[in-house]
Amino acid sequence: MDLETCPFCVEPIPRGSHRCPHCGQPIRSSSTADDAGDPPRVDPLTGQRRPLVAGLDGGDAAIFSYFEGEDLRGALLSGADLFDAELAGADLRGADLSDAMLSEANLRGADLSDANLVGADLSEANLCGADLQGADLTGADLTCARYDGLTLWPEGLDPAAAGAVCVSHGR
């Protein structure tokens, strides 16, 4: 059987797998990964997953989409495939996420203030408690994106009119 390594838990998995049978993380096409030069994604001392953030660009983000609580201020992620990415609590202030695929991403409590989200797909994303003040959401798809009373929106934006769904009104 032809095997490759899961970029999250570094366990062997069948080549072409869409989800790791060990850790459950979605696996992107291995044709975009450099298996020989890729560092392990699990810290051998703590056993915790390590996201790759150095030199991050749109191509890398499609493979490594676990960035919970990471400092990604000013990151250049235009066109990145961050479908179903874990970005809860991430600091994305001033990041360029134009035309990024953020559908079904978990952005709970993320700071997206002053981010460029022009043309981004945020459909079905979790935006509860996220700070989007000053963000440019021109042409962004907010269809069925979830938000709550703690979500902070750019001035003048009506999230319900843009297709987002309020799941709680409390502050």
Side-chain angles (χ1 to χ4, degrees):
M1 177 185 291
D2 195 17
L3 298 175
E4 63 182 312
T5 302
C6 172
F8 297 95
C9 68
V10 297
E11 292 291 329
I13 59 173
R15 186 167 302 282
S17 295
H18 295 287
R19 189 168 291 279
C20 177
H22 305 284
C23 68
Q25 288 294 321
I27 305 297
R28 304 296 190 235
S29 170
S30 63
S31 64
T32 61
D34 177 8
D35 291 337
D38 243 359
R41 297 292 170 245
V42 175
D43 185 316
L45 298 175
T46 66
Q48 299 219 347
R49 287 185 284 189
R50 291 191 302 213
L52 176 68
V53 292
L56 182 68
D57 64 23
D60 291 333
I63 300 167
F64 312 110
S65 57
Y66 183 82
F67 302 106
E68 183 174 359
E70 288 294 324
D71 183 351
L72 298 170
R73 285 177 287 185
L76 302 176
L77 294 165
S78 180
D81 179 3
L82 291 163
F83 173 81
D84 196 31
E86 182 57 57
L87 291 155
D91 187 347
L92 290 153
R93 288 178 283 173
D96 182 358
L97 291 154
S98 58
D99 298 313
M101 168 57 77
L102 289 156
S103 181
E104 299 184 32
N106 182 8
L107 291 155
R108 176 180 287 278
D111 189 345
L112 292 149
S113 56
D114 300 315
N116 178 0
L117 290 157
V118 172
D121 183 351
L122 290 155
S123 61
E124 300 185 47
N126 181 354
L127 298 172
C128 293
D131 183 352
L132 293 136
Q133 295 178 102
D136 188 347
L137 290 159
T138 306
D141 183 358
L142 292 168
T143 305
C144 296
R146 297 174 313 283
Y147 69 97
D148 62 12
L150 298 176
T151 306
L152 302 173
W153 296 97
E155 192 168 326
L157 182 99
D158 179 352
V165 178
C166 184
V167 294
S168 169
H169 292 285
R171 264 201 190 268

